[in-house]
Amino acid sequence: MEGRGKIYTESCDKRPGEGGRQMRLKDGLILREVAGQFVIVPTGRRVKEVTSIVYISSSAAYLWDYMKDEEFEKEDLVNRVMERYEGVTREKAAEDIGKFLKLLAANNILDDGVAHGSVLVRMPEGKQ
């Protein structure tokens, strides 16, 4: 691309909740139980952003009830699971919560302060 600058791309996908970042659920989302399944339902302008039907477990629904009103860190959720459930190791709880947060982030449900996807930057010649 001579004379037009260089293009740099960088992946912005990082693990939600890593590094003690504060997170919160985006507004315009409600949790409903439908036929024994918990489903996250977007409302208002979120309908355009959350285009997939997202089902979560009853354990995740327990966490959702806390998350909907609070800013939180991954460790807060791990602590809540450890207080509520017996026989779960801290490592397993952290692993499962990491997967849950990743699901929420991938579906535009979690505001974790991280850009997800790729960034394209075109640098003019001489500015690299």
Side-chain angles (χ1 to χ4, degrees):
M1 301 197 114
E2 211 171 296
R4 297 180 73 192
K6 292 189 178 179
I7 297 175
Y8 298 91
T9 60
E10 181 177 336
S11 175
C12 292
D13 287 324
K14 296 185 180 177
R15 292 185 179 155
E18 297 300 317
R21 281 191 306 275
Q22 288 285 318
M23 298 173 274
R24 64 183 173 87
L25 295 174
K26 292 186 177 181
D27 62 351
L29 299 161
I30 55 175
L31 182 66
R32 290 286 184 244
E33 186 175 0
V34 179
Q37 299 267 342
F38 292 96
V39 62
I40 299 170
V41 180
T43 62
R45 74 181 197 289
R46 288 284 175 234
V47 171
K48 294 179 183 177
E49 297 172 9
V50 180
T51 58
S52 298
I53 297 174
V54 180
Y55 293 95
I56 61 174
S57 69
S58 59
S59 299
Y62 163 73
L63 292 175
W64 180 278
D65 193 49
Y66 168 75
M67 296 162 65
K68 69 183 169 89
D69 298 322
E70 304 284 335
E71 283 195 351
F72 54 88
E73 295 180 8
K74 180 179 177 181
E75 192 63 24
D76 297 329
L77 304 179
V78 171
N79 290 337
R80 292 188 70 80
V81 166
M82 297 305 298
E83 291 168 4
R84 179 165 173 119
Y85 299 100
E86 293 182 21
V88 177
T89 66
R90 188 165 210 72
E91 295 77 24
K92 181 63 175 162
E95 178 185 329
D96 289 350
I97 289 168
K99 290 176 185 176
F100 174 51
L101 294 174
K102 188 174 180 177
L103 171 74
L104 296 180
N107 285 283
N108 208 21
I109 293 169
L110 183 67
D111 182 358
D112 59 359
V114 175
H116 296 275
S118 296
V119 174
L120 174 67
V121 179
R122 184 179 303 271
M123 298 295 294
E125 284 295 325
K127 301 281 185 181
Q128 297 137 23

